[in-house]
Amino acid sequence: MVDFRNLTMNNRGINILVFLVMVVCATAQTFRTEAPSVVHKGQQFHLKYTLINAEGTSFKPISEDIKGFTVLFGPSTSSSHSTSIVNGKASSSSSVSYVYTLTADAEGTFTLPGTSIVVNGKRISSQSVKVKVLPENRNPSASSQNTDRLSRNAPATTQITEQDAFIRTIVSRTKVREQEAFTVTFRFYTRFEVDDVSKIEFPEFEGFVAEEVSASTSVSLVGERYNGRMYYAADLKKVLLFPQRTGKLTIPAGEVDMTFRIPSGVQSFFGEDMMVLRRKMKSKPIDIQIDALPTPKPANFSGGVGTFTLQSQISTKRIKANDAVTLKLTFNGTGNFKLLKTPDLNLPDEIEGYDPQISPALQIADDGLTGSQTIEYLLIPRYEGRYTIPSLNISYFNTQSGRYETLTTPEYHLQVDKDPNASEGVASNFGTNSEREKLKDIQPLYTQEYDLQDIDNQIFGSTIYYFWYLIPTLLLIGFIAIYRKHIRENSDMALVRHKKANKVAIKRLKNASEYLRKQENAKFYEEILRALWGYLSDKLAIPVSELNRDNIATELEKFGADEDCRNTLLHVLDTAQFARYAPAQHTQAIDQLYQATIDTIGQIEQISKQKVSK
C-alpha cells in the first residue's frame, strides 16, 4: 500500500515536517542547509542555514556568485526557542537561522553551496543541496509560484476533475517481439493534497511474465509539468514485462481510490478552510503489439532474447584421477536471462559430472534483466588418460541485430594422470582404460592337448590308488570353494568399497591434516570433500554422481544414523563446499570442521560394526 498520509503540499504541513525532522536529527547534525527542491524560473525563494541546539560564532557568508541564481539580500538572522514537558520531564530546543533570499535565473538542476560556523571552538560545515529549476510558470491562476504551495493556491472547487488528479499508464514501447522486455509505469498526478488512500488495485498482466521494478511502500511526490500544467507526480507501480505470446495484448487499467483536501475558498480566523473530497481514478488500457520471432529457430534456441556474451574458463587442464576440476561459464548482457538454458555437457564416460551451480547477479533495467549469470560445473575424472570436453553452443535472438546468434565455448583438453591411491581401494581401482576394458569381456578358455600315459598295474584298484584320488579331490573341492568365495567377494565392488571405505577416508583425512598443519586451507577443504564424498559413495554403495544432500540424508537414515549425525555430516559438506570459494576462516573453525569430520565418520563406522555383529 502506498502511504500518502505523511505527504503534505502546503507551507504549514512542510514547516511541521521540517520541524520534526530537525528535532529527530538534532544530535546527528547541528548545522544544516534548507531550500525547496523544485522552483520555477524567475521565482523567489529562501535559502536557510540553521544551527540547532548550539551557540555559534563566525558565520561564513556565502558568495553572491552562485550559478543559476541571484542573491537578492541576506543573510537575515532569526532565532527560536521551545520547551516541552512530557511525563513530568522537561526538554528544550533552540535554533538560529541565517536566511538568504534568492531568485532562479535559468532552467536546469543546480547546486546551492553549504557554509560553515564555529561551535565550541570548532568549525563545522553544512551540506550543499540540489535545486531543480523548471520553466517559468505562465499560468499563476492554475498553480502557485512555489511548487511547495501548489494545493493551497489551486482554485476553490467542489469537485475534482480528470485534469486535477489522474493516473497515467506509461509504457517504454508499444511494439516488441515475443520475450522482448519493456516497462510499464503507473504514474499518479495531482494538484491537491492527498488525505487518504482507501484502495489501490493494479491489473494482472495476462500473457506476460512480470518482474517488479520497485516494491516501495511509500513514495515521494515531485513537481512535474504535464500538458502545460504543474502537478505533483509519483510512480505508484513499475513493472518489467516479458510477453509470452504473439498478437495484440492489452495492459489493463489500474484503479485507485483517494481522498483529497482542497481549498474551499472560505476564509476563517485560522486561514482558508479546507474540505475533503473522494475520487476514484482509473488508468486507460494500452494495447501492445507482440511480433513473433523469426523462423526457423535454431535447434539449440531455448527462448533467450536480448544481447548476451559468453565467457568460459576451466580451473586446470592437468590433474590426477579422482581430483576435481571446475568449468565456469559466465553470461553477461541484458535480456531474459531466465530463459537461457543451462547447457548440458556431453562428457566422456570416464568423467563424472555434477549438477551445475547457478549464481545470478542481475538487476532490473528498462529493457530487461541486466548483469551476469555464472554457471559452474564440478567434474571428476576417474581414470587416467587424455580427454576432451567438447565445446558448447547456445543460440539466442539478438534484439539489436534482429537475428539469431550463437554463443560458443572452446574445447578443453584435459590430461589426467593416474591416481597414486588407486591401488588402495578408492572409488577407482583401475588406473588405465585398458585395465578396465579387460574386466568387461569374458576371457577365452585356455585349451591344450591331453598327454596320456600308462599306469602301473601293480597299484591299480588298491586302497592307495583310491586314496591318492580322494585326497586331491577333497583338496580341489576345498580350494575351489575358497577360491569361488574370494572371487565372489572381489567381484562385488560395492562390498569391497564398503569394507575399505574407512581405510581410504582415514588416509585422505591424514592428507587433510597435513594441509591444515601447513595452513593450505584450499587444499584442506578439497581433501575433506574428497574424503567425505568417496566415503559416502563406498559406504552407501551409491555412485558419486548420484549423491546429493537429499539422498545422503535419506540413505543415512536407512543405514541407521541418527538425526544429529546426519545434520553434522550435511553441515560439514556445506561448510567445506562454501569455504572453497570464501575467504580464509579462523584456524579454530577449521580445526572444529576437521574434528567434526572424524567424529561423523567414526559414528557411521560404529553403526556399521553394530549391524555386522547382529
Side-chain angles (χ1 to χ4, degrees), residues 437-568:
E437 291 296 330
K438 290 179 180 179
L439 296 182
K440 290 184 178 180
D441 300 324
I442 298 176
Q443 302 299 312
L445 296 176
Y446 178 75
T447 60
Q448 63 180 4
E449 296 182 359
Y450 292 99
D451 184 15
L452 300 177
Q453 297 180 355
D454 293 335
I455 300 176
D456 188 357
N457 293 330
Q458 293 180 357
I459 62 173
F460 181 76
S462 63
T463 302
I464 297 177
Y465 172 82
Y466 292 108
F467 182 77
W468 283 110
Y469 273 99
L470 181 60
I471 291 179
T473 301
L474 294 176
L475 292 175
L476 180 61
I477 293 173
F479 175 81
I480 292 175
I482 296 173
Y483 183 69
R484 281 182 173 274
K485 180 180 178 182
H486 180 72
I487 292 177
R488 186 169 57 254
E489 290 179 351
N490 286 340
S491 63
D492 188 350
M493 296 300 298
L495 180 61
V496 174
R497 292 164 57 186
H498 180 87
K499 291 182 177 180
K500 296 185 178 181
N502 187 45
K503 178 180 179 182
V504 175
I506 290 175
K507 181 175 180 60
R508 292 205 180 276
L509 288 175
K510 288 182 179 179
N511 294 337
S513 175
E514 185 65 21
Y515 291 137
L516 179 60
R517 186 183 63 82
K518 296 179 180 179
Q519 297 185 355
E520 297 180 6
N521 293 346
K523 293 183 178 179
F524 166 79
Y525 289 120
E526 287 284 347
E527 203 67 28
I528 286 291
L529 285 174
R530 290 178 62 190
L532 283 177
W533 285 114
Y535 177 80
L536 292 172
S537 174
D538 296 341
K539 184 61 67 174
L540 301 178
I542 299 176
V544 177
S545 60
E546 297 178 10
L547 284 176
N548 55 57
R549 295 180 86 261
D550 293 334
N551 65 10
I552 286 176
T554 302
E555 293 299 325
L556 282 177
E557 185 177 5
K558 295 179 181 179
F559 193 77
D562 58 22
E563 185 177 0
D564 290 340
C565 178
R566 300 195 302 270
N567 291 339
T568 301

Side-chain angles (χ1 to χ4, degrees), residues 244-257:
Q244 300 299 300
R245 58 174 184 255
T246 59
K248 183 176 289 186
L249 299 180
T250 300
I251 305 298
E255 183 175 319
V256 179
D257 284 355

Side-chain angles (χ1 to χ4, degrees), residues 570-589:
L570 293 176
H571 171 72
V572 171
L573 286 174
D574 292 342
T575 303
Q577 184 69 28
F578 175 80
R580 295 172 59 203
Y581 308 101
Q585 299 184 17
H586 193 272
T587 303
Q588 184 179 358

Side-chain angles (χ1 to χ4, degrees), residues 37-54:
S37 59
V38 180
V39 298
H40 288 281
K41 180 180 178 182
Q43 176 184 334
Q44 294 182 14
F45 64 95
H46 288 159
L47 170 63
K48 184 187 297 184
Y49 299 96
T50 304
L51 180 65
I52 304 172
N53 292 334

